[in-house]
């Protein structure tokens, strides 16, 4: 059976050379095949599409037209599949609330 290439069959919005370079920056990763970088790029595209869509639902629910950080943070907080991002995309906190908590 001939080997099939994913190149040209799966399209990504991300530049494959940068995806491959980022993958190689991980110490435990040595060589990265073209197929692996294509699949990681496509998976990232799909994840960002899901994340943006979910955050967009918060914009619509709030009757706004502008996507903001708080929409992504709220999405992370309220979507069980995205809660692994809680440390990276926390809910916004006002500086005055932090200062008040220190006193």
């Amino acid at each position: 059976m001939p080997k099939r290439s994913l190149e040209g069959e799966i399209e990504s919005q991300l530049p494959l050379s940068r995806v491959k370079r980022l993958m190689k920056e991980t110490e435990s990763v040595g060589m990265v095949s073209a197929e692996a970088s294509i699949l990681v790029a496509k998976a990232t595209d799909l994840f960002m599409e899901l994340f943006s869509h979910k955050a967009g639902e918060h914009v619509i629910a709030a009757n706004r037209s502008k996507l903001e950080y708080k929409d992504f943070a709220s999405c992370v907080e309220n979507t069980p599949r995205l809660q692994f991002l809680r440390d990276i995309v926390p809910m916004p906190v006002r500086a005055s609330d932090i200062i008040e908590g220190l006193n």
Side-chain angles (χ1 to χ4, degrees):
M1 180 172 231
K3 208 174 181 184
R4 283 184 31 179
S5 171
L6 294 176
E7 200 101 28
E9 293 180 27
I10 298 177
E11 305 228 353
S12 172
Q13 300 297 316
L14 302 171
L16 294 177
S17 60
R18 288 191 183 169
V19 171
K20 195 170 191 173
R21 184 176 40 194
L22 285 170
M23 290 172 70
K24 284 182 168 183
E25 284 185 10
T26 304
E27 288 181 21
S28 62
V29 175
M31 298 295 289
V32 176
S33 71
E35 289 86 0
S37 61
I38 291 168
L39 290 174
V40 167
K42 185 59 180 178
T44 304
D45 283 345
L46 293 173
F47 173 76
M48 291 307 300
E49 185 178 323
L50 168 79
F51 196 21
S52 298
H53 178 75
K54 290 281 190 190
E57 290 174 358
H58 288 268
V59 172
I60 292 168
N63 201 24
R64 292 183 285 114
S65 60
K66 185 178 181 182
L67 189 61
E68 299 175 5
Y69 174 87
K70 64 183 177 182
D71 300 312
F72 287 100
S74 180
C75 179
V76 167
E77 192 68 28
N78 299 317
T79 307
R81 289 178 16 189
L82 297 175
Q83 288 187 353
F84 70 96
L85 293 171
R86 287 171 114 178
D87 293 338
I88 299 168
V89 188
M91 291 297 287
V93 179
R94 292 183 187 165
S96 60
D97 292 341
I98 294 172
I99 292 169
E100 185 178 301
L102 293 174
N103 293 332

